[in-house]
Amino acid sequence: MTGPKKETSTAKKKVSRSVLLGAAFLMATSSIGPGFLTQTTVFTQQLAASFAFVILISLILDVFAQINVWRIIAVSGLRGQEIANKVLPGLGVVLAIIIVIGGLAFNIGNIAGAGLGLNAMLGVEPITGAIVSAAFAIFIFVFKEAGKAMDKAAQIAGFVMIILMLYVAFSTSPPVGEAIANTFVPEEISIFAIVTLVGGTVGGYITFAGGHRLLDAGIKGIDSLPHVTKSSVTGIAVTGVMRIALFLAVLGVVSQGLAIDPDNPPASVFQLAAGDIGYRMFGVIMWAAAITSVVGAAYTSVSFIRSFSPAIEKYYNWIIILFILVSTITFALVGQPVKVLLLVGALNALILPIALGTLLVAAYKKEIVGEYKHPLWLTVAGGFVVIVMGYLGIMTLIEQIPLLFK
């Protein structure tokens, strides 16, 4: 009798380890999209070695936000929208609508990025590349075990991106000493850059990607919290490694006095660092970053409406496929709707403070979390992120809305 029990518990450990790693990489690769590559390159150009300080502060804020969100989701056994509806009836519906619209709009950009990635990698037309990429993403959700396929795709893509990015970082011989010094004593500080990085890493649907994935895999309850916390920090660590590697690659190019092409900054960095091979490598990274963001955005956006109807629950994978199709068809026929992206980007900045604030309230409601006691330091740290990101989110909205009417 002992043998089979041991085997079962080992199998369970393997499954949960695979899911925990998959959830971490799903979150990380969802945040590493085309925008991530461009933002990191542009900010490094502007701030040089001082961007190291921005990365450090944004990673600390990311960890505070993500640990709070994942722990409260796990301990309650509820998805983000369900928790929000219990805190304030109707709030979960509003949150779900904003996230689904945002996910659709951002996925148009992700599909476009995948097309550009295949163009750089293999020379195919960007629209053809976008359609081929969408077919690949859809293929993942055709499987009955779509969750496992998604976990595996995210992990492979994540490792490939990290290896290639580290190679380029080393090949540009960046001034590492200067970067380390500026990490703690920067010559210049950009609040805008910090907010942009936090919003891009854990803003919108992204911070819920891994939390909802763990829930779907049955990892929940107080006993699961050490694993959930570790997985949430792993996700931020993967993002951090990618961000630091790209920062060092760009810093190496900038410190050599080489001119970066403003039309496509990240591609230019790779080309300057490693010639034509570097450009192809950029194509691989861009495609991997974009395709995993397509998968992450579709999966998480639809998870926000999953509990609203038994029909959505029943045809869950097919609705995710429809979500990807709508994004792809819109891009192929219309291109990227600039004004929609502007508005969604501004609304996206408000999702993190609203969602995190709501979850922090939920952490103190017995009918949601039972006997669980949320650590005070996490509440204070999470509350700080809510205030900072809430204020800056409102400022972003005020700035962006007038642009819609120009």
Side-chain angles (χ1 to χ4, degrees), residues 63-188:
V63 167
F64 288 160
Q66 183 133 303
I67 292 178
N68 270 299
V69 171
W70 285 31
R71 281 175 73 96
I72 297 164
I73 286 174
V75 85
S76 67
L78 300 168
R79 295 187 186 91
Q81 74 277 14
E82 294 166 321
I83 296 171
N85 271 338
K86 279 182 177 281
V87 171
L88 182 68
L91 181 59
V93 177
V94 173
L95 204 59
I97 290 167
I98 296 173
I99 282 176
V100 168
I101 293 169
L104 262 174
F106 286 128
N107 242 6
I108 296 166
N110 292 331
I111 289 284
L116 290 171
L118 277 186
N119 173 258
M121 194 187 346
L122 304 169
V124 298
E125 282 295 312
I127 287 186
T128 309
I131 293 165
V132 169
S133 303
F136 177 84
I138 286 166
F139 183 66
I140 289 172
F141 293 103
V142 169
F143 283 107
K144 195 181 177 187
E145 294 280 3
K148 286 181 183 174
M150 184 172 65
D151 290 346
K152 196 54 71 184
Q155 287 173 53
I156 293 167
F159 281 122
V160 167
M161 285 192 281
I162 287 170
I163 291 162
L164 293 179
M165 201 73 91
L166 287 170
Y167 169 78
V168 174
F170 280 114
S171 66
T172 63
S173 309
V176 176
E178 192 186 337
I180 292 169
N182 274 269
T183 303
F184 306 102
V185 188
E187 290 165 21
E188 194 181 340

Side-chain angles (χ1 to χ4, degrees), residues 201-372:
T201 308
V202 291
Y205 69 88
I206 297 167
T207 192
F208 290 96
H212 284 190
R213 172 68 192 114
L214 292 180
L215 214 55
D216 287 347
I219 296 175
K220 57 186 174 183
I222 292 175
D223 293 346
S224 71
L225 288 181
H227 300 299
V228 170
T229 303
K230 192 178 173 185
S231 180
S232 72
V233 175
T234 304
I236 300 296
V238 171
T239 312
V241 169
M242 278 289 289
R243 184 90 70 186
I244 291 162
L246 180 54
F247 155 66
L248 290 173
V250 181
L251 190 63
V253 168
V254 170
S255 63
Q256 289 172 39
L258 300 169
I260 293 171
D261 179 6
D263 290 337
N264 195 345
S268 176
V269 166
F270 281 80
Q271 201 155 19
L272 290 166
D276 191 47
I277 291 170
Y279 186 66
R280 303 280 178 207
M281 282 164 65
F282 161 75
V284 174
I285 290 174
M286 180 68 155
W287 185 79
I291 200 70
T292 49
S293 294
V294 168
V295 169
Y299 167 79
T300 315
S301 297
V302 177
S303 78
F304 266 85
I305 55 170
R306 188 172 185 170
S307 55
F308 293 166
S309 155
I312 297 173
E313 182 66 57
K314 188 178 178 185
Y315 298 108
Y316 184 54
N317 282 6
W318 293 106
I319 292 166
I320 293 173
I321 289 169
L322 180 65
F323 193 94
I324 296 168
L325 278 173
V326 170
S327 304
T328 310
I329 291 163
T330 307
F331 170 66
L333 299 179
V334 182
Q336 294 187 67
V338 178
K339 288 194 173 180
V340 173
L341 284 168
L342 273 176
L343 178 62
V344 166
L347 287 172
N348 198 54
L350 291 175
I351 291 173
L352 177 62
I354 292 170
L356 179 54
T358 306
L359 264 63
L360 288 173
V361 172
Y364 291 89
K365 287 187 173 284
K366 270 195 171 184
E367 65 270 27
I368 298 174
V369 296
E371 296 303 312
Y372 168 70

